[in-house]
Each structure stands twice: as C-alpha cells, then as structure tokens.
Amino acid sequence: MNMVNEQVEQWGVFELSLEGPDQGNPYRDCPLQAAFRFGGREVKTAGFYDGGGTYRIRFMPDRQGEWRFETSSPVPELDGISGSFVCTPPSAGNHGPVRVMDEYRFAHEDGTVFHPFGTTCYAWIHLNQGMQEKTLQTLADNGFNKLRMCVFPKHYAFNSEEPDSFPFARREDDGFDHTRFDPAFFAKLERRILDLQKLGIEADLILFHPYDKGHWGFDRMDAEVDDSYLSYVLARLSAFRNVWWSLANEYDFMEEKKPADWDRLFRIVQEEDPYGHPRSIHNGTRMYDHGSVRFYDHAKPWVTHLSVQHWDVTLPPIWRREYHKPIVIDECCYEGNLPQRWGNITAEEMTRRFWESIVRGAYCTHGETYTHPDNEIWWAKGGRLYGQSPERIAFLKSILEEAPAGYKPIPGIYDVPTIGVEDEYYLQYFGVHRPSYREIPLPEDAEFTAEIIDTWEMTITKLDHTLRGRSRLQLPDQLYTAVRIQRVR
Amino acid sequence: MNMVNEQVEQWGVFELSLEGPDQGNPYRDCPLQAAFRFGGREVKTAGFYDGGGTYRIRFMPDRQGEWRFETSSPVPELDGISGSFVCTPPSAGNHGPVRVMDEYRFAHEDGTVFHPFGTTCYAWIHLNQGMQEKTLQTLADNGFNKLRMCVFPKHYAFNSEEPDSFPFARREDDGFDHTRFDPAFFAKLERRILDLQKLGIEADLILFHPYDKGHWGFDRMDAEVDDSYLSYVLARLSAFRNVWWSLANEYDFMEEKKPADWDRLFRIVQEEDPYGHPRSIHNGTRMYDHGSVRFYDHAKPWVTHLSVQHWDVTLPPIWRREYHKPIVIDECCYEGNLPQRWGNITAEEMTRRFWESIVRGAYCTHGETYTHPDNEIWWAKGGRLYGQSPERIAFLKSILEEAPAGYKPIPGIYDVPTIGVEDEYYLQYFGVHRPSYREIPLPEDAEFTAEIIDTWEMTITKLDHTLRGRSRLQLPDQLYTAVRIQRVR
C-alpha cells in the first residue's frame, strides 16, 4: 500500500496505490473499491487499474478531520486494506466542487457563487504539447472559468490530426482493444484537468460526441463498451473537484444511440460519481430552424442543469418554466468567419448573446472560429484567441460578480430583460434596442445610483445625481447599452 | 334611383343610390340588399343607409360585360329596383383585389404577384387634414404598398387627440348612439382608402383594437353593437378593391372579448364581404418572453393569412408548418427611440428583420417611432418619416420583385436561409453572420452569375466571372450581406 498523501486538503485528491496482478486483463477482471468513513458516514468509491500492476483509488474528502478507509476486492492482494488520512482546510482558491444552488445558478460547495463564463476547445488535449501549453497560456490570460473539452479525439472539418494516445489501448492490427484502457492517455487528461484547476477553470468533460463518424468508431461502440469506458472514467476522474460531466456534445447527431442509451449512461454517471458533479447533455441544432432543436428531457432527475445549443438566447425563460434548472447556453454560435453558419458571428453579436443570456438569469459559453492558415482554430484546437469578445465577456463577468448573490430575473414592469433584487439592485440590458430615455419606477423611500454601461466600449458612466421614486433616465442613442441601478440608502 | 356610374371598370366600384325613409332609425330599421347577376352567376351584397334619406349599394364587378341587378328590402321604396351597367377593362395599375395565391404569397386577382411591404399609421385618418395630406405625401415618396390603419380612433401613449368624427353618431349627452353611424366619418375613411388605392397601397383596416380602454368604449361594446358595426363597415367598404380586413390589433389585449367572439366576428366578415378580401387578426406580445405570445388559431378556415406580432423573425418556418398560409409579420418592433421596448430598434435592425423574414418566405411590416417634440410619430399619426430603413426596405422590395414568381424557401443544404427556384435562382441572406467564404453546390451543366449585396449600403456587386458546379464564393467580412445567384445558361 502506498498513500500518495497522508494529509489532504478538503476537496483535494487522496490517492491510494496498490500493487496487484498484472497478468490477464486486470481492467476487466480485477474490480476494486473502497469505503471511506468519516464518523458514522460512509462513501464508497471505485478504484481502477493503472497499468504495470498498479491499482489506484482516488477520493475527494469533503469534511476536515480524520477519514478511515478499507478496500474490498475479489482479488486477495487488493482486498481488506485499511488506513486513514487527515483532511486539512482548503488552500486559497479551493472552494470545492460546483453544485446547483437554485434554479438560476451554481455555487461551489463552500457557498461561493459560481457564474460559469466558459469557452470551448473540444480537442485541445489531443494536440501536440506546444499547442496545449499555448492553450493554457491563453486561458490564463483571459477570464474564462469553464472549458468544454472532449475525452475522445475529434475528426471533423478543420481538425483531422491523429492524437498520440487514445482512451483505449491499441491492438496490433491498429484497431482498439475495448477491454483495455491506455493509462498514458488518462495521465495526460488528468494533468490537463489539474492545469485547469490551477487556473480556476472547471473542466466540462464531454464523454461522447459524434465527431468521429466511425473514423475511430468511438461514436458507435457496444453498450457494454460504453458502460465500462464510463465506469473507468468515473473511477479515475470523479475525485477532481473541477470536473463536470457532459454526457455528449450534439447527442442527437449520434444516430447509433437511442434515448434509452442516454438514460442508462446518465444513471451510470449518477451512481458511480460519489460526489455529484454537475451532469448535463448538449443538443445539436440543424440550420436556422427552431423546429430542428431536440432537447434531451432535462426534467429527468439525473440532469442537474441545461447545457443547451441554441442561437436564440431569449428563450431561457421558457426553458426555465419547463425544467426549473440552471441554464447554460453552451453553444450560441462562435465568433469567427468560417463558412458554416455556427462559426461566423461577429464579436458584437457574441457579446450581445452573453448579455442577453445573463439578463435572463442564464449563462452563455464562448467559442472562436476564425479561419487560420494552419487551421489552428480555438474552438477545436485551442492555441490563441484573435477575437474581440473575450475581453467584453470578462467585463460582463466582473459586473456580474459584483451583483448581489441572490439576484433573479425581474419580470413584468421593466419591459426589458432585467436581473436584480427588488428595491436594491437592477441590471438591465437593451441589446439592439436603443430607447432615448426610460421611466423607472423606483421606491420613494430609498435612493439609488444609476450607471450607463457601454457593453462594447466597456465603460461605466455614473450619473452625477441619485434617483428616488419614479425617475426618468436619459440614455445614449446606441446599440448594446446596459443600465445598473443600485440602492445607496 | 341614381346610378353613380353606368360604366365601371373591372374591380372598380359601381354605386347605386336610392332615396328612402329618413324618419326613425333607418340604420337599424331599413335593411337593403341587391343581387348582381352576370350570366348565370349571382352575387348578393348589402346596401347601407348614408344619412339624409339616401341609401347606397356598392358593388365591385370582377368580370367584364353586362351586369344586371335587383334590390330587395322590406322597405317598399327600396325594394325591387333593377337595372344594369357595363363592366369595362381595368385601367392601368388596377390588378384587382389581393388574394392568397399559395402558402407563401399573395397575388392580385389578375395574377400579378403582390409582395406586401407595408407600414403602419394606426390613427392617421383621425388627425387633422394637414397631417393626413402630409402622410399621403410621405407614402407617395416611399415604396410601401400596404398600410395598417384603424377604423376606430386611438387613445394611447403619444396619441390623445380627439378626432373630429367617429364611426358612431354622438348622443346629446356626449356619449355615442350605437344604433346610428356617422356618414361623415365613413366618407372621410372612404376618401382615404381611395387615396391609398391611387398610390397602389392596400388599406389593411383594423376593425377593433384595445387602445381605448373605455375612453370612448369602442373596445367594450355589446356583441350586438359589434356585429352591426361590422355589417355596416362591410356594406360600405367591401367594394373597394384595396381593402384588407384585420379583425383586431393585439386582439388578446382586448380582455372584454373571448375567443368565441372573434370566431363570430370573423364569420360575419367572411359571410358579408362578397369578394373575399384577405382576413386575419393580429396578436399582441408582452415583454421579451416567447411564452407570452398567444396566436389566434390561424388554422380556422376564415383566416386567410397570418398577421403576426413577433420580434423573432426566424420563426416563419415553424408557423408555416402549422398553418400553411402566407405569413406577414405585421409588427416586429419599430425603428425609433421611444422608451417602450417595441418602439426603439435601429434602422439596421429593422432592415435586418425584413431580410430575415423575406428569405424565409414570409413578409415583414415597417413602423417608425422616433420621439418628436409634438408627438407626431409615424406609427400612430403618420406625418413624416425620419428613419433610415424605408429606403433599404424599398431596395429589398425591388430585389424581390425581380425574383422568379414561384420562388420558395430552399431548405437543407444551403445552411443559410435562402429563397429561390432550384438550379435557377437563389437569394441568401447572412444577417449577423459573416462567413469569409462559402462553398455553393451548383449544378455542373449550367452557368450562374453571382452578386454580393450590401443590404445596408444598397449596393449590388456582380462577380466578374460566372460559376459552375461546386463553387467557392469569397464574401466580405461584414454584417448584413446577401448573395444572389442566377442562372444565365
């Protein structure tokens, strides 16, 4: 037995490694689990085979103090091993995993509100080291705090590189052995998840996707293979606090899978992740036709939030009425100039879609698709960002982070999408509307500051007088204006 | 008997005036109708009392040659009067009334396609003469061919003038006598309908509306009063070829009326207009929430087309699948800068909404709401236009008028909303999308010209070479671009 660490901070990873059989197929034949106990509480988690006769069990403790554990396995060498470790206070910046807080939003387990402002680099871990490092540097230089990324490699327009490793071991005939995994691949993936963790970024892991079309065949494996792949991923990665589970990207484009398959896969994730990381599934859209959008039924209990693809970012109020769960529009088209419809909106439009989402109590996710001589396009490969929206998105994020934690959409009288806390705080966004003035019904017994926000120029202009009661606010004659009103006494 | 005209052009108005009782209440007590016969065909139409002992019957003949007529009435002086007139060929510019041609479009009765490019002056006939003349001059100077206008006056924000006359006669106590009409009011209305006809503009008459709130009470009359008002309007106006019937504006904001009331009123229009002018009803929207939009059931057989209010002009394909009728988005917000959300989109956005509608096989309607020192706002009062969209809308109209008459939305492979005729003609619009290039799958055995249209600058740039087979088209890196591709051989 080797405890990688005898002290683990809260929401850090405790890892136990064990030596065991390396003959036959331990991935398939040597199951292992452990029970972790804290006082009267017990959490069970699966271990996994990591190659070379090494078995590991990872655990993320959520309470400070002494945790005891004991393994169980039909393999005698792996069975009945027990011990303990001490869980210490979390280090700075560690707020624990993200949870759904209410029907609008997320929070870390320590209570810190988490506003997802994500971006998308589907295949970045499948590129060369240099590109991966460049991607991390770009992420460090920008304000994004969630990254949508695929476990399986991607074979698609502008992205046909073969990666250096795959989740499954290769067979001699160059096919894949679906009963064996490749520990080197997972070590790479885990390193990148931890790199993101250091940057304060949630890894929104896409577990299946259709961008394969049989090229490697990961989009059309047997149910048994899908299930064992998922179990292996869950055993290895669940203990990382910054992991989210995205069952699939454009799940409805995976024609080999039926709705019942997604139900089954969701339940595996729900049952085998002991920590309840966020779980969702992302739909595709065809064309520009609303009728083409087929959501998975987000009302099902194993779906924690909506991870939508839709170009119409005014729809969250409708979806919320149906599902009562937080909404992330994880694809709203990308800033860029590709020929494909999903890949050529302007920075102005991307910024507008973020604001429209936020003021409806939802979230939006960024992606960038500018043509590049070597096809280094952020949305697929990471690398560099060239667009003008990331800076504006970070500006919006800073505004939202200053909002009162309990803000909600304020319907009705304000005639314009607004979030806030009644009589305390209002954030309104006008988008393509440009009223020359607004009448705002504020309470008579309080005093408010008003600020005009130019969401494109990123300026905040404070009115030199305060407002009280029904107030008339002059507004600039321009696109993309927001207004923030805050009570001062 | 006095025949105002013994010769009438096809789709002109034949009018017969009769003298009869002027005692009691002839509006209520002296019904009158006539049968018009052309060969073996008979068309019945109602007459109406026009005050001062004069009764009139109007008729729009749709076939050239001799028409015979005979009146019938329980009033002896009005009964059994017969005669004939000759219907002559239509004069230049007279194409007859507008009909629904197929699920996409309209045509005049002579087969000329009619593409509605309308605007909105709800209360223009209720303003003073000077303003009315100014409105007509503005209409003459612009390209609009349909005008949404109310029969009843309007009492609403930016519009509180009392008109000089009303559809109903006034009582001595300043209320209205709902059993008597005001011929002077209707003469004014008819004169304006004919003024529009001379300009080639369809009068989309709004028969009821909620902008009254009990001020005059026309929004909350008894069913019996509503019905007799409608019958009177139909008897007077149906014979004008450029009339459309809009049962109501924002019908769902008229809380005093139930769905069954609208069904009943629709059927009166259907039964008492012998010519089958276009019939629809216009919904309201509340806020920015799709769920707030309540359509009247346009599948009902008396609805000829959709007259929608919606800010999301990408929805026509959905509505068409449900209703299979032509779609006019009669309110998509207005170009202007009023505080209200519906009244402050930019000219760019208004122009974009027109294009987005057109390339989905639907139509859009203009309105303008710039603040004005005297509240002379086009959408309510007419007067002058200040905006930048009318010129761009006329540009689009000229492009559409050059399109092949049988164009349809072309779904699927083009990835961008497109209308056209396969292998012959394509009109695509990119809106907020700005691809740097496009691959277009054209047939190998034909040759095409391609034009890049800057819909804002109103320029059409023709490529100096023709296209054949799968072609790559370079596009400018800018908003609001369209492409037109036409077969040349």
Side-chain angles (χ1 to χ4, degrees):
Chain A
M1 170 174 99
N2 176 30
M3 291 184 346
V4 173
N5 33 22
E6 295 185 9
Q7 287 209 338
V8 177
E9 67 177 283
Q10 194 173 0
W11 306 304
V13 178
F14 169 78
E15 187 174 297
L16 178 69
S17 76
L18 305 171
E19 296 307 307
D22 64 352
Q23 302 301 303
N25 185 347
Y27 294 104
R28 190 184 54 200
D29 302 331
C30 302
L32 167 65
Q33 66 165 6
F36 287 82
R37 297 191 184 88
F38 182 86
R41 189 160 145 249
E42 180 181 278
V43 181
K44 284 192 171 147
T45 186
F48 60 92
Y49 183 58
D50 201 25
T54 301
Y55 294 75
R56 297 185 197 280
I57 294 174
R58 290 178 179 151
F59 181 68
M60 178 180 74
D62 61 359
R63 292 289 178 279
Q64 296 169 31
E66 192 194 49
W67 286 82
R68 303 197 57 78
F69 60 85
E70 183 173 4
T71 69
S72 60
S73 172
V75 180
E77 301 100 296
L78 304 175
D79 188 48
I81 294 161
S82 63
S84 70
F85 69 91
V86 171
C87 176
T88 60
S91 55
N94 171 4
H95 301 290
V98 169
R99 312 280 181 215
V100 164
M101 190 163 117
D102 57 27
E103 64 176 316
Y104 303 103
R105 88 205 82 214
F106 303 88
H108 290 279
E109 195 164 305
D110 76 350
T112 307
V113 170
F114 176 76
H115 297 303
F117 280 83
T119 186
T120 309
C121 302
Y122 286 133
W124 77 288
I125 62 159
H126 301 284
L127 277 282
N128 62 59
Q129 283 284 120
M131 272 293 282
Q132 291 180 44
E133 296 298 334
K134 209 194 287 184
T135 303
L136 287 167
Q137 189 54 52
T138 302
L139 288 168
D141 294 343
N142 282 275
F144 299 111
N145 61 14
K146 180 169 85 70
L147 184 65
R148 283 187 65 75
M149 53 186 279
C150 298
V151 176
F152 287 119
K154 191 178 171 200
H155 186 76
Y156 196 73
F158 311 105
N159 186 175
S160 55
E161 279 84 350
E162 286 291 310
D164 63 354
S165 60
F166 295 88
F168 292 103
R170 291 216 91 131
R171 289 197 313 250
E172 287 183 8
D173 68 358
D174 228 36
F176 293 99
D177 181 349
H178 288 144
T179 67
R180 291 172 189 271
F181 299 98
D182 180 355
F185 168 81
F186 282 95
K188 173 176 71 175
L189 171 59
E190 288 155 8
R191 188 168 67 249
R192 294 318 184 193
I193 290 171
L194 287 173
D195 287 337
L196 295 176
Q197 191 182 95
K198 284 186 206 110
L199 296 172
I201 296 173
E202 302 291 306
D204 196 356
L205 289 179
I206 297 165
L207 299 167
F208 294 94
H209 67 68
Y211 322 116
D212 184 318
K213 300 260 175 205
H215 177 72
W216 301 295
F218 302 134
D219 59 334
R220 55 198 64 193
M221 305 185 296
D222 293 346
E224 196 183 348
V225 177
D226 282 349
D227 294 359
S228 76
Y229 153 76
L230 257 196
S231 293
Y232 191 76
V233 166
L234 289 159
R236 289 199 72 121
L237 305 181
S238 295
F240 295 104
R241 67 177 172 268
N242 63 321
V243 158
W244 294 32
W245 308 121
S246 182
L247 266 286
N249 219 50
E250 301 192 320
Y251 83 97
D252 45 329
F253 294 173
M254 297 186 74
E255 287 163 16
E256 291 77 12
K257 291 207 173 14
K258 302 276 165 285
D261 291 316
W262 296 115
D263 292 352
R264 189 189 79 249
L265 294 168
F266 252 121
R267 298 195 63 174
I268 290 172
V269 176
Q270 186 183 30
E271 285 165 19
E272 299 184 15
D273 163 12
Y275 316 105
H277 292 287
R279 287 180 299 270
S280 194
I281 186 166
H282 185 70
N283 61 283
T285 65
R286 290 184 197 279
M287 310 283 303
Y288 42 83
D289 174 353
H290 283 71
S292 75
V293 180
R294 286 181 291 158
F295 279 11
Y296 178 85
D297 178 7
H298 290 75
K300 291 188 173 173
W302 40 79
V303 183
T304 58
H305 67 285
L306 278 71
S307 166
V308 168
Q309 179 178 167
H310 212 296
W311 60 92
D312 185 348
V313 295
T314 70
L315 293 171
I318 309 275
W319 302 329
R320 186 177 301 115
R321 274 203 291 277
E322 188 160 356
Y323 300 117
H324 302 287
K325 296 178 182 179
I327 296 163
V328 187
I329 301 174
D330 270 318
E331 185 180 338
C332 72
C333 295
Y334 304 119
E335 181 187 345
N337 63 356
L338 291 189
Q340 291 87 346
R341 187 169 174 79
W342 44 260
N344 55 36
I345 62 170
T346 56
E348 287 88 341
E349 181 65 12
M350 174 59 91
T351 306
R352 188 186 73 81
R353 292 182 186 194
F354 263 80
W355 273 89
E356 298 280 9
S357 304
I358 291 296
V359 291
R360 287 172 175 82
Y363 298 98
C364 197
T365 298
H366 167 269
E368 187 180 290
T369 46
Y370 281 103
T371 54
H372 184 283
D374 303 319
N375 286 338
E376 287 181 15
I377 304 180
W378 176 260
W379 130 93
K381 297 184 177 173
R384 278 188 56 197
L385 283 166
Y386 299 88
Q388 295 180 286
S389 67
E391 194 186 353
R392 274 90 188 168
I393 293 166
F395 174 71
L396 168 57
K397 181 170 167 243
S398 72
I399 288 174
L400 200 69
E401 284 169 352
E402 292 168 17
Y407 77 79
K408 286 185 186 172
I410 296 182
I413 57 169
Y414 292 92
D415 186 44
V416 164
T418 304
I419 49 174
V421 174
E422 284 281 10
D423 300 347
E424 291 293 336
Y425 176 99
Y426 306 90
L427 182 65
Q428 302 197 304
Y429 177 63
F430 295 97
V432 298
H433 296 266
R434 46 90 197 260
S436 52
Y437 66 94
R438 293 277 297 171
E439 302 275 357
I440 307 174
L442 294 169
E444 286 289 349
D445 58 352
E447 207 173 315
F448 295 83
T449 56
E451 291 159 306
I452 314 291
I453 303 173
D454 182 328
T455 66
W456 181 253
E457 297 296 338
M458 297 177 284
T459 58
I460 301 178
T461 309
K462 196 168 190 163
L463 252 67
D464 56 8
H465 60 282
T466 56
L467 307 179
R468 182 189 287 276
R470 187 163 195 92
S471 302
R472 184 179 167 116
L473 195 61
Q474 289 300 128
L475 291 170
D477 178 17
Q478 63 190 32
L479 290 166
Y480 313 137
T481 299
V483 166
R484 180 166 62 178
I485 294 170
Q486 299 183 80
R487 184 173 182 155
V488 281
R489 83 173 62 93
Chain B
M1 170 174 101
N2 176 30
M3 292 184 345
V4 173
N5 33 22
E6 296 185 8
Q7 286 208 338
V8 178
E9 67 176 283
Q10 193 174 0
W11 306 304
V13 178
F14 168 78
E15 186 175 297
L16 178 70
S17 76
L18 305 170
E19 295 308 305
D22 65 350
Q23 301 301 306
N25 186 346
Y27 294 104
R28 189 184 53 198
D29 302 332
C30 301
L32 167 65
Q33 67 165 6
F36 287 82
R37 296 189 186 93
F38 183 85
R41 188 160 146 249
E42 180 181 278
V43 181
K44 284 192 172 150
T45 185
F48 60 92
Y49 182 58
D50 200 25
T54 301
Y55 293 75
R56 296 184 198 278
I57 294 175
R58 289 177 181 154
F59 180 69
M60 178 181 73
D62 61 359
R63 291 288 179 280
Q64 296 169 32
E66 193 196 47
W67 286 82
R68 301 198 59 80
F69 62 83
E70 184 172 2
T71 69
S72 60
S73 171
V75 180
E77 302 99 296
L78 305 175
D79 188 45
I81 295 160
S82 64
S84 70
F85 68 91
V86 171
C87 175
T88 60
S91 56
N94 170 4
H95 302 289
V98 169
R99 313 280 181 214
V100 164
M101 190 163 116
D102 58 28
E103 66 177 314
Y104 302 103
R105 85 204 83 216
F106 303 89
H108 290 281
E109 195 163 305
D110 76 351
T112 308
V113 171
F114 177 75
H115 296 303
F117 279 83
T119 185
T120 309
C121 302
Y122 286 133
W124 77 287
I125 64 160
H126 301 283
L127 278 283
N128 62 57
Q129 283 284 119
M131 271 295 280
Q132 291 179 45
E133 297 298 333
K134 210 194 289 184
T135 303
L136 287 168
Q137 189 54 52
T138 303
L139 288 169
D141 295 342
N142 282 275
F144 298 111
N145 60 14
K146 181 169 85 70
L147 184 65
R148 284 187 65 76
M149 53 186 279
C150 298
V151 176
F152 287 119
K154 191 179 171 201
H155 187 76
Y156 195 72
F158 311 105
N159 185 175
S160 54
E161 279 84 349
E162 286 290 312
D164 63 354
S165 60
F166 296 87
F168 292 103
R170 291 217 92 127
R171 290 196 314 248
E172 286 184 8
D173 68 358
D174 229 35
F176 293 99
D177 181 349
H178 287 144
T179 69
R180 292 172 188 270
F181 299 97
D182 181 354
F185 169 81
F186 281 95
K188 173 176 71 173
L189 172 57
E190 288 155 8
R191 189 169 65 249
R192 293 320 183 191
I193 291 172
L194 287 173
D195 287 337
L196 295 176
Q197 189 181 95
K198 283 185 206 109
L199 296 172
I201 296 172
E202 302 291 307
D204 195 358
L205 288 179
I206 296 164
L207 299 167
F208 295 94
H209 68 67
Y211 322 116
D212 184 317
K213 301 256 175 208
H215 178 71
W216 302 294
F218 302 134
D219 59 335
R220 56 198 65 192
M221 305 183 297
D222 292 345
E224 197 182 348
V225 176
D226 283 348
D227 294 0
S228 77
Y229 153 76
L230 256 197
S231 293
Y232 191 75
V233 166
L234 290 159
R236 288 197 74 120
L237 305 181
S238 294
F240 295 104
R241 65 175 175 270
N242 63 321
V243 157
W244 294 31
W245 308 121
S246 181
L247 266 285
N249 220 50
E250 301 190 320
Y251 83 97
D252 45 329
F253 294 172
M254 298 186 72
E255 287 162 15
E256 290 77 12
K257 290 206 174 13
K258 302 278 164 282
D261 292 317
W262 296 115
D263 292 351
R264 190 188 79 249
L265 295 168
F266 252 121
R267 296 196 63 174
I268 290 173
V269 177
Q270 186 184 29
E271 285 166 19
E272 300 184 14
D273 163 12
Y275 316 105
H277 292 286
R279 289 180 299 269
S280 195
I281 186 166
H282 184 71
N283 61 284
T285 65
R286 290 185 197 277
M287 312 279 304
Y288 42 83
D289 175 351
H290 282 71
S292 73
V293 180
R294 286 181 292 159
F295 279 10
Y296 178 85
D297 179 7
H298 291 74
K300 291 190 174 171
W302 41 79
V303 183
T304 59
H305 67 284
L306 278 72
S307 167
V308 168
Q309 180 178 168
H310 212 294
W311 60 91
D312 184 348
V313 294
T314 70
L315 292 172
I318 309 275
W319 302 330
R320 187 177 301 116
R321 275 203 291 276
E322 189 160 354
Y323 301 117
H324 302 287
K325 295 178 183 179
I327 296 163
V328 187
I329 301 173
D330 269 321
E331 186 179 339
C332 72
C333 295
Y334 303 120
E335 180 187 343
N337 62 355
L338 291 189
Q340 293 86 345
R341 185 168 175 80
W342 44 259
N344 55 34
I345 61 170
T346 57
E348 288 88 341
E349 182 65 12
M350 175 58 90
T351 306
R352 188 185 75 79
R353 292 183 187 195
F354 264 78
W355 274 89
E356 298 280 10
S357 303
I358 292 295
V359 292
R360 286 171 175 82
Y363 298 98
C364 197
T365 298
H366 167 268
E368 186 180 291
T369 47
Y370 281 102
T371 54
H372 182 282
D374 303 319
N375 285 339
E376 288 180 13
I377 305 181
W378 176 259
W379 129 93
K381 297 183 177 174
R384 277 189 56 197
L385 282 166
Y386 301 88
Q388 296 180 285
S389 66
E391 195 186 352
R392 273 91 187 166
I393 292 166
F395 174 71
L396 168 57
K397 180 169 167 245
S398 72
I399 288 174
L400 200 68
E401 284 170 350
E402 292 167 15
Y407 77 78
K408 286 184 184 173
I410 297 181
I413 56 168
Y414 293 92
D415 186 43
V416 163
T418 304
I419 48 173
V421 174
E422 285 281 9
D423 299 347
E424 291 292 336
Y425 175 98
Y426 305 91
L427 182 66
Q428 303 198 305
Y429 177 62
F430 295 98
V432 298
H433 297 266
R434 46 87 197 260
S436 53
Y437 66 92
R438 294 278 296 171
E439 302 273 357
I440 307 175
L442 294 169
E444 286 291 346
D445 58 352
E447 207 173 314
F448 295 84
T449 55
E451 291 160 307
I452 313 293
I453 303 173
D454 183 327
T455 67
W456 181 254
E457 297 295 339
M458 298 178 283
T459 58
I460 301 178
T461 308
K462 195 169 190 162
L463 253 67
D464 55 8
H465 59 283
T466 56
L467 307 179
R468 183 190 285 277
R470 188 165 193 93
S471 303
R472 186 179 165 116
L473 196 61
Q474 289 301 127
L475 291 169
D477 179 18
Q478 63 190 31
L479 289 167
Y480 313 138
T481 299
V483 167
R484 179 167 63 177
I485 294 171
Q486 300 183 78
R487 183 172 183 156
V488 282
R489 84 174 61 95

